[in-house]
């Protein structure tokens, strides 16, 4: 039945492409068709949904932030780079105030100018519930990304001041999440975000030209893009939702797409043999179980948390994934500048795991029984079903019986935002989630700060430790980068030594693509730059 479903899915993709006048034989040189892991086209209005994949494909393509990510190198970690702001600095006398100087001469796709008023309008669409342009869907994606922002104002047409609730050295990373949509286009379309989704207008290098939910989206280069080096070389970029891994492979083999995200490991060798390229790179990502610390959760006992971390056969999982993972030694990947020197090592030691679990009063004859929320696919989720099945067996071997509740990726994101105490989480004590860990806020603070417990933030497990909060405050108030790294190391040591997550893997971000695809540089980032790519005949 699974094979039939995948066959029908690929057939539907082909029919959808043909219906748009784009059957495979009719594709012109310079068109790149990508099979995504998402089950739908991510939100196109600015703040994309579907996690990092959404931001990759409908965020940083159609839009820009005041501060962007430098995606030009495969050999060094990405860093922040000027986007719609040419510079930003904190006030030396009042470290809650930041001045952003905007880039002159930038226009939205509809031709309207980008100004300081545009910036304020875009913050209002996320934060000001009584603003005419307030959008609950975008706010759900963006509000939690900028918890430090207290207020913002126009200083002059090309200058914006942002005030934080307290001194916050992580603000530039937060601002890099916020995409700028066109106020003029929203007005023109009757002040309707639904209408805007079909014909959006940002300042990014790509313009959305066709939006067909659950079928495809098409983009064309924005010739007037402000960064002339990043005006796309392709004629067209096409996104196709293909959540089933084998369906993505079938679409690639049949020539219906040129590129697929997250190819299944068991297909790698045959794809290489058929002449397809497999591109990988380490990037700031981890694959975890985020554990509930609500009352009654078995994970409140550090012995249980450590036992679970010692029960997972990560090397066996790596072999299962054809080498396409880095076994976790902590929350951060090995070699991270923030890794520090934790004393607990999450290696595979089932005997030690059983001993710890016995000390906690459990074991094979008296198992812990619990529920974990997982998705069958999704942005950064790697191969979640076989990976979770292996963990399920590993934990059963030591006396932890896990039942899974499987939900679609975007639904899982909503459950993550709701938190472990919410009724919609159905009593689950863990959620399998892949995390962007590229900056101090998204890498550490948002997961565990007391006042960011869901639904106020994305502290899904309702963890709260005043000592950890003190370290988070130190991160925010340490503006010297070298000194901040030392604080980040202390945070990571606490993450690992207290086994605050089930730390499993770091992704190598594999992609499979036709040999016709040229010029792609896989950045060490969740996002990628499609501008240099060409597709030959």
């Amino acid at each position: 039945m699974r094979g039939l479903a995948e066959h029908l899915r690929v057939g539907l993709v082909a029919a959808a492409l043909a219906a748009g006048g784009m059957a495979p034989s009719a594709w012109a040189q310079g068109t790149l068709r990508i099979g995504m892991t998402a089950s739908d086209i991510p939100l196109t209005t600015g703040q994309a949904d579907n996690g990092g994949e959404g931001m990759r494909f409908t965020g940083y393509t159609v839009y820009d932030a005041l501060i962007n990510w430098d995606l030009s190198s495969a050999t060094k970690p990405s860093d922040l780079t000027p986007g719609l702001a040419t510079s930003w600095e904190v006030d030396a006398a009042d470290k809650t105030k930041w001045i952003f100087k905007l880039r002159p001469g930038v226009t939205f796709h509809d031709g309207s100018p980008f100004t300081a008023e545009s910036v304020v309008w875009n913050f209002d669409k996320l934060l000001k519930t009584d603003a005419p342009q307030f959008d609950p869907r975008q706010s759900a994606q963006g509000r939690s990304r900028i918890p430090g922002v207290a207020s913002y104002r126009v200083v002059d047409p090309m200058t914006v001041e942002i005030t934080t609730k307290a001194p916050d050295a992580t603000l530039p990373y937060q601002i890099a999440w916020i995409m700028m949509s066109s106020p003029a286009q929203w007005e023109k379309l009757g002040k309707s975000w639904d209408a805007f989704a079909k014909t959006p207008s940002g300042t990014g290098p790509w313009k959305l030209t066709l939006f067909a939910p659950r079928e495809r989206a098409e983009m064309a280069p924005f010739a007037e893009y402000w960064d002339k080096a990043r005006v796309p070389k392709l004629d067209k970029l096409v996104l196709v939702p293909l959540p089933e891994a084998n369906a993505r492979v079938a679409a690639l083999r049949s020539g219906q797409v040129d590129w697929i995200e997250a190819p299944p490991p068991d297909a790698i060798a045959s794809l290489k043999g058929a002449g397809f390229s497999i591109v990988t790179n380490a990037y700031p990502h981890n694959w975890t179980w985020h554990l509930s610390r609500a009352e009654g959760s078995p994970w409140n006992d550090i012995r249980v948390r450590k036992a679970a971390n010692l029960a997972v056969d990560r090397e066996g999982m790596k072999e299962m994934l054809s080498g396409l993972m880095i076994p976790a030694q902590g929350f951060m990947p090995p070699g991270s500048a923030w890794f520090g020197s934790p004393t607990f090592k999450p290696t595979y030691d089932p005997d030690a795991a059983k001993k710890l679990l016995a000390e906690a009063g459990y074991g094979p004859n008296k198992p812990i029984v619990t529920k974990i929320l997982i998705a069958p696919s999704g942005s950064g989720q790697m191969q979640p079903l076989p990976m979770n099945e292996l963990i399920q067996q590993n934990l059963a071997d030591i006396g932890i019986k896990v039942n899974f509740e499987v939900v679609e990726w975007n639904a899982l994101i909503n459950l993550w935002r709701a938190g472990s105490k919410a009724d919609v989480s159905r009593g689950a004590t863990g959620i399998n989630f892949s995390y962007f860990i590229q900056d101090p806020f998204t890498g550490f603070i948002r997961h565990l700060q007391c006042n960011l417990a869901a639904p106020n933030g994305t502290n899904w497990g309702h963890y709260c430790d005043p000592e950890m909060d003190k370290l988070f405050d130190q991160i925010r108030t340490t503006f010297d980068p070298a000194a901040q790294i030392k604080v980040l190391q202390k945070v990571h040591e606490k993450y690992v030594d207290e086994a605050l997550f089930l730390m499993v893997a770091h992704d190598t971000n594999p992609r499979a693509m036709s040999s016709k695809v040229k010029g792609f540089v896989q950045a060490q980032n969740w996002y990628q730059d499609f501008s240099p790519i060409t597709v030959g005949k």
Side-chain angles (χ1 to χ4, degrees), residues 261-285:
E261 300 283 285
D266 58 4
I268 297 295
S270 63
L271 286 170
K272 286 182 177 178
F276 294 99
S277 301
I278 307 296
V279 184
T280 64
N281 203 351
Y283 74 128
H285 163 281

Side-chain angles (χ1 to χ4, degrees), residues 293-340:
R293 301 301 296 274
E295 185 178 355
S297 171
W299 308 114
N300 284 322
D301 191 324
I302 189 172
R303 295 168 296 185
V304 175
R305 299 196 304 271
K306 285 188 171 181
N309 271 284
L310 292 171
V312 177
D313 182 4
R314 295 170 183 80
E315 290 297 333
M317 183 179 288
K318 182 178 179 179
E319 183 177 352
M320 180 184 75
L321 296 177
S322 299
L324 297 177
M325 68 167 263
I326 299 168
Q329 297 177 24
F331 196 74
M332 289 288 150
S336 168
W338 304 345
F339 197 89

